[in-house]
Amino acid sequence: MISGLILVMFLIGFLGSFLSGMLGIGGSIVKYPMLLYLPPLFGVAIYTAQEVSALAMVQVFFATLGGVWTYRKSNLIDKRLVLDMGISIVIGSLIGGYGSKWIPGDTIHLIYGIMAVIAAVMMLKPGKKESGKAMEAGNYHRGVAVSSSFIVGVLSGIVGAGGAFILIPIMISILGVPLRVTIASSLAIVLLSSIGGMAGKIIAGHVMWFESAILVVGSLIGASFGAKVGQTAKRGFLQGTLAVLILVTAVKVWYDILF
């Protein structure tokens, strides 16, 4: 039983963080349903919504840390954008992460499902081309960036996500940030977000340290490989993969909520 749990958790950590590094997400868009459905499927564990969200949040921190480390020498991380959105998302995720202790599991699933649908719809809107000029000129609305990241932080803190699966569509479709800058910068923003969210989960007493440690090992390995792929992959492949992941997850979560 223990060996099976270790193997399942490692694979979940590796796969989710590979996608995290490649697509600029925290990995929770796939990690949340994987943690919810795969352990029971293989008969190794059953987790509540609060436990799943706590495990996902710990994994998000280490997955984005590995991704940011890989991107550290590139010019793709925009420091101003990271500060504008990072500070407010940390505050929001801390509030959401701690406040989730009073929210029923079904409500957490519902919030996650709503976030996934919104992100899926926004991903259908094309973003600007990757010229990078929009970012060089700081051509995005700072008020929208700060307020939207705070709201995303609160919601993502509740469900144990870094929030990148909805933050990325906002950055591309509303703020007009080029895709590759979005991917690299969102990793840094979500890293900050996960600090607040993870602190909230720890204070609430939902973190399971044994399972978290296994996820972290898989995350650190997977995120590094994923970030390297993300730096060379074509824009269409990256955006298409992210859109498919969001759509599939949204359909699965809503199917479970309704039926």
Side-chain angles (χ1 to χ4, degrees):
M1 180 68 72
I2 294 298
S3 59
L5 177 63
I6 292 174
L7 179 59
V8 170
M9 285 295 171
F10 178 84
L11 291 176
I12 291 175
F14 179 88
L15 179 58
S17 296
F18 177 83
L19 295 171
S20 166
M22 183 175 71
L23 301 173
I25 59 177
S28 56
I29 184 66
V30 290
K31 197 64 59 64
Y32 186 93
M34 288 171 72
L35 286 168
L36 196 62
Y37 302 125
L38 290 186
L41 179 64
F42 290 100
V44 295
I46 298 176
Y47 300 114
T48 66
Q50 285 85 357
E51 290 170 338
V52 167
S53 65
L55 285 169
M57 184 58 78
V58 173
Q59 178 274 331
V60 165
F61 171 77
F62 285 96
T64 51
L65 178 63
V68 169
W69 180 259
T70 303
Y71 273 107
R72 71 191 186 282
K73 294 183 179 179
S74 73
N75 295 318
L76 296 174
I77 297 179
D78 185 272
K79 296 181 178 61
R80 175 182 159 181
L81 182 65
V82 170
L83 287 177
D84 280 347
M85 304 189 79
I87 294 174
S88 60
I89 203 171
V90 166
I91 298 172
S93 64
L94 178 58
I95 294 172
Y98 181 69
S100 65
K101 68 184 296 182
W102 291 292
I103 300 176
D106 289 343
T107 303
I108 293 177
H109 293 327
L110 181 63
I111 292 172
Y112 184 88
I114 293 172
M115 291 175 69
V117 169
I118 293 172
V121 171
M122 293 179 67
M123 281 302 297
L124 297 177
K125 179 182 176 181
K128 294 184 178 181
K129 294 182 179 181
E130 296 183 26
S131 63
K133 292 181 180 179
M135 291 306 300
E136 292 175 6
N139 188 24
Y140 63 89
H141 195 292
R142 300 185 75 178
V144 173
V146 171
S147 58
S148 62
S149 60
F150 174 78
I151 295 171
V152 170
V154 173
L155 296 175
S156 61
I158 291 173
V159 302
F165 68 97
I166 192 169
L167 198 64
I168 286 178
I170 289 174
M171 293 168 72
I172 294 173
S173 301
I174 297 179
L175 300 179
V177 180
L179 179 64
R180 292 187 190 278
V181 176
T182 293
I183 288 175
S185 299
S186 67
L187 281 170
I189 294 169
V190 173
L191 175 61
L192 295 176
S193 169
S194 65
I195 294 173
M198 186 168 65
K201 297 297 184 184
I202 292 174
I203 294 172
H206 291 152
V207 177
M208 294 176 292
W209 295 107
F210 177 72
E211 289 92 334
S212 296
I214 302 169
L215 283 173
V216 166
V217 174
S219 295
L220 292 176
I221 298 173
S224 179
F225 283 110
K228 291 178 181 178
V229 173
Q231 293 182 53
T232 57
K234 294 182 179 180
R235 172 197 167 95
F237 171 77
L238 294 173
Q239 190 161 354
T241 302
L242 182 58
V244 169
L245 282 175
I246 293 173
L247 283 169
V248 170
T249 303
V251 170
K252 174 59 178 173
V253 171
W254 276 102
Y255 178 83
D256 289 341
I257 290 173
L258 296 175
F259 302 106

